[in-house]
Amino acid sequence: MTDFTFDGPIFQARIDLDPVVPLYVYLVKGATYAAWIDSGIKSMFPLLQATMDRAGVVPQDLRFVLHTHSHHDHIGCNAQLRAATGCLIAAPAYYAAWHADFERQYQEFARPFRRLMPDTPELRDEVFSFLDAPVPLDLHVDEGVLFDLGGGVTLRAFSLPGHMLAELGWFESSTRTLILGDAITGLDWPQFHSHLTVGGYRASLDKIRRLVRELDVQRILAAHFAPMTPAEADALVAHAHDYIDSVERTIVRFVAGQSAPVSLGAIWAFTCRHMERRQEFRALNMVHAHALDLLARGLLREPEPDHYTLR
Ligand SMILES: [Zn+2]
């Protein structure tokens, strides 16, 4: 990957969530104020403070946390940042409840299919251990909103659903940098990173490619990838399209090979086994999204709830 320096107006904080999944969080500093794009996980707070110190950002300079999306590994320091600086929290309205009510976030994120996903201490810990405390959103933001941080540093939001049903990318104009959360998902991890709308994900991948050209983007920053050149981002987008294709192919072939309707749980188990990923809740959410997509396109039928046959 290409080496970029981060000496302003964008500053990088990075940790490893596990041996294969890094997490990058970015601070953007203008002449008037500064903003974090997402806040990482709760244990990162000392690193966020050190990053603000390095950037010369004093508490009253930090006006906003501007979210890409509302997953637990992107909102985990909101309460600590709010307490330390008084900053406001901005995110798409769709998942506002996830910021105010962590139990609801847990149930909707990890257990939308309760029969298949028992409520266990381990599952709870996976979600809750990244979060500090609930902070209701101060601002609901969507595509087109522009924050002028001063001195030519601006952040404009672009809608990029797919990984979640609402997600934003942020374009910083002075450095022509596109800052993403998980709009391009992890593709080669031991677990499926997941997407919740297949058509939305494909459209957002194409939109990223288009934005890079139209906005003359010079670098692409994403939460779980090292900084990318436009050529590197282009290659990753192509890889993501191939990945979606291979998930779809796996599901269609499995259902086609069965003589009776197959359950969502069976498709989930087969897809994880066949593609060598951990069988966990993100994969289940993703497989369900593919089932909905294939139903909408007329390739599958659902003769009884959550059971599928080839058309
Ligand atoms: Zn995410």
Side-chain angles (χ1 to χ4, degrees):
M1 288 286 177
T2 307
D3 206 25
F4 294 103
T5 54
F6 287 93
D7 51 0
I10 302 176
F11 299 82
Q12 178 193 87
R14 183 222 153 126
I15 60 157
D16 289 315
L17 289 179
D18 64 43
V20 293
V21 182
L23 175 59
Y24 296 83
V25 188
Y26 291 99
L27 174 69
V28 183
K29 182 192 181 191
T32 312
Y33 66 87
W36 281 102
I37 306 296
D38 292 340
S39 71
I41 64 173
K42 78 174 180 187
S43 63
M44 284 181 85
F45 185 62
L47 178 60
L48 300 191
Q49 281 187 307
T51 305
M52 288 192 286
D53 289 346
R54 177 161 56 89
V57 170
V58 298
Q60 59 266 34
D61 292 341
L62 188 77
R63 236 180 247 183
F64 299 103
V65 176
L66 304 177
H67 282 297
T68 61
H69 66 301
S70 303
H71 273 146
H72 62 153
D73 56 331
H74 296 259
I75 71 170
C77 283
N78 283 4
Q80 296 169 93
L81 282 172
R82 158 68 62 86
T85 70
C87 67
L88 300 178
I89 311 293
Y94 191 91
Y95 292 99
W98 287 29
H99 292 259
D101 180 349
F102 288 168
E103 178 65 24
R104 178 162 168 184
Q105 173 177 171
Y106 166 68
Q107 296 294 347
E108 292 184 3
F109 177 36
R111 303 191 64 233
F113 306 96
R114 293 182 176 210
R115 265 186 319 102
L116 295 171
M117 190 56 56
D119 189 352
T120 64
E122 293 73 26
L123 189 62
R124 283 187 170 268
D125 189 61
E126 187 173 343
V127 175
F128 282 88
S129 64
F130 283 176
L131 296 162
D132 55 11
V135 183
L137 292 181
D138 299 295
L139 292 167
H140 295 173
V141 289
D142 208 337
E143 173 153 308
V145 68
L146 182 118
F147 289 83
D148 184 349
L149 285 67
V153 176
T154 67
L155 288 163
R156 182 186 294 272
F158 290 90
S159 176
L160 297 168
H163 171 63
M164 286 185 106
L165 298 178
E167 175 151 355
L168 299 172
W170 293 92
F171 175 65
E172 198 293 297
S173 56
S174 73
T175 53
R176 314 210 73 74
T177 301
L178 184 61
I179 307 175
L180 305 175
D182 299 353
I184 309 173
T185 63
L187 305 172
D188 302 305
W189 295 354
Q191 70 274 12
F192 287 111
H193 191 189
S194 192
H195 42 273
L196 300 181
T197 154
V198 178
Y201 189 17
R202 287 194 187 277
S204 289
L205 290 169
D206 293 338
K207 184 170 176 177
I208 288 167
R209 225 176 219 163
R210 198 173 67 241
L211 287 174
V212 167
R213 276 199 311 274
E214 288 175 0
L215 299 171
D216 189 24
V217 169
Q218 298 299 305
R219 64 179 171 181
I220 298 90
L221 309 179
H224 301 294
F225 294 97
M228 288 175 274
T229 62
E232 288 167 335
D234 218 47
L236 188 63
V237 163
H239 184 27
H241 274 299
D242 290 345
Y243 163 90
I244 299 168
D245 289 344
S246 59
V247 173
E248 178 175 302
R249 208 163 41 236
T250 300
I251 292 171
V252 170
R253 283 184 183 167
F254 176 62
V255 176
Q258 310 302 311
S259 52
V262 280
S263 68
L264 180 64
I267 300 172
W268 171 43
F270 178 83
T271 303
C272 292
R273 200 164 61 243
H274 184 75
M275 294 186 71
E276 299 179 329
R277 304 301 207 281
R278 278 173 49 209
Q279 190 182 335
E280 47 88 87
F281 68 88
R282 294 173 190 81
L284 178 56
N285 300 347
M286 179 196 74
V287 165
H288 183 253
H290 275 271
L292 291 181
D293 177 62
L294 291 164
L295 285 172
R297 289 160 53 202
L299 291 160
L300 292 188
R301 283 190 308 118
E302 189 178 12
E304 51 183 303
D306 287 342
H307 286 71
Y308 304 93
T309 60
L310 209 60
R311 189 178 165 70

